[in-house]
Amino acid sequence: MTEIQAPPARTTFPLEHQLYGRLERLEDASLLTPDALAAWTNANPVDATVTEFGECPRCYFQTSGTSGQSKRIPFTAADLEAQIDHEARSFAVAGLTAEDRVMTLASPPPSLSAWATVAGSERLGAEALNSSYVDFDRILDAGRGAEVTFVFGTPLMLELIGRMTEETFGPVDEVFPNLRAGILYGDVLPPAVERRVRRYWPIDIRLLYGSVEADVIAMSCPDGDRTMHVMDKVVVELLIDGASDPVRVEECPDGTRGEVIVSDLDRELLPLIRYATGDIVQVHRSRCGCGRGEPRLSVLGRRKNELRLGGRALHEMELHAVTDAVLGDRLHDWQLDVDRHGRPDVHAALRVSCRGAVAGDVAGQLRERLVALGALVAEQAERVLEVVIDEPSDEQRAPDGDVKADRIRFR
Ligand SMILES: [Zn+2]
């Protein structure tokens, strides 16, 4: 396996920065919210074109702004080099090697995902055979389908391209007979979605957790479970519910839950300091199958999607676990609409789409499990949570960047 060492962090304390003021140490920094980062990056624009980030001295990645204002994260040429090394180290954790031939289903350039999947793979010595989901068929037109060993994409994009491949070229395992593994990023991978992905892609799945602001934060490995190793370029702290200060992940006991606060000091132009990601994770401290003993993460959901149905806070992945436990492989997906105006008697409608006939009192079983978790109060369960069972719709989602599922909606 290619090992690329992490360079020393270039930002040292004490630090004087227009965005952060004067900081004696990391722990003195207040949390950086997405809005504050967006406001600062928009007020201090980088004079460069977004399409040439491989060459320009001060370039930026623009975030989509789905969670508020868009942000332009600036990088110097040296910053970009460091990011490529970081991506290569992350992909190596996931088992990518110099012998691999990569197909990327990232959203088209200029996007961080397209740039990172190609540049990071090539830094490891692997060959990227295309540049985004838009040109994945270029590989097949060139008769190189059998060369592909590794794939990158979001869960929904893999499902979509898997379906397109099957309809146009044939079964994925015949079209890409040597494809062995894939790195999935950009969204959680609940059991029902994994089954849908696996219907097309019989591959070993590795999970990448990251964001445009921070790049790769954590990555799962071939020998472990789906929990993800924290990458050493970033400092990860957790803001635990009710606490005012975040705690370093290394100091969190097994099972700790909190919001990821991420720092990347290894950047010349704009070090990322205590950026509040809005992602809720759980810490895992058992030794990984690969032998590494450092803490690992699993993503539970977004803070903004945290549900309070009368009991304790409930996260998206817990709702996935509950629906999966009741419905198993009949479950296609679910959608939850929450009426926040009805508080404290929150009314939520859970629409569960299932394949085939569903027997028994599914609604009752779902409510029972949520009560057992402490997320729903038994006496209020029927009033608070309406459950509707229907069939999956056949609508095909059009590719739209690194697509994410939008399962929890508040009004
Ligand atoms: Zn591992």
Side-chain angles (χ1 to χ4, degrees), residues 221 223-224 229 288-292 296:
C221 75
D223 303 311
H229 294 282
C288 182
C290 69
R292 295 180 183 92
R296 302 185 308 286

Side-chain angles (χ1 to χ4, degrees), residues 231-252:
M231 296 304 300
D232 58 4
K233 187 174 191 284
V234 290
V235 176
V236 169
E237 298 172 285
L238 259 55
L239 184 63
I240 297 157
D241 225 8
S244 53
D245 290 316
V247 183
R248 293 252 180 162
V249 68
E250 293 81 5
E251 291 160 23
C252 293

Side-chain angles (χ1 to χ4, degrees), residues 350-376:
L350 180 65
R351 185 172 292 276
V352 187
S353 56
C354 298
R355 274 178 295 272
V358 173
D361 179 14
V362 171
Q365 291 176 43
L366 289 170
R367 289 194 195 98
E368 247 171 57
R369 286 182 184 262
L370 291 171
V371 168
L373 279 179
L376 201 56

Side-chain angles (χ1 to χ4, degrees), residues 251-318:
E251 291 160 23
C252 293
D254 189 56
T256 303
R257 294 172 165 207
E259 178 180 355
V260 171
I261 309 298
V262 66
S263 301
D264 184 355
L265 305 176
D266 180 29
R267 291 185 192 178
E268 288 181 335
L269 203 54
L270 178 61
L272 196 62
I273 298 181
R274 286 198 149 172
Y275 179 68
T277 60
D279 297 316
I280 306 292
V281 297
Q282 183 165 336
V283 176
H284 303 264
R285 298 304 305 249
S286 60
R287 185 165 290 276
C288 182
C290 69
R292 295 180 183 92
E294 298 81 22
R296 302 185 308 286
L297 306 178
S298 59
V299 177
L300 297 175
R302 299 279 298 162
R303 182 183 282 290
K304 71 178 172 67
N305 285 342
E306 198 170 80
L307 289 166
R308 292 190 184 269
L309 300 175
R312 75 155 171 83
L314 185 70
H315 298 288
E316 184 185 337
M317 282 304 276
E318 295 177 294

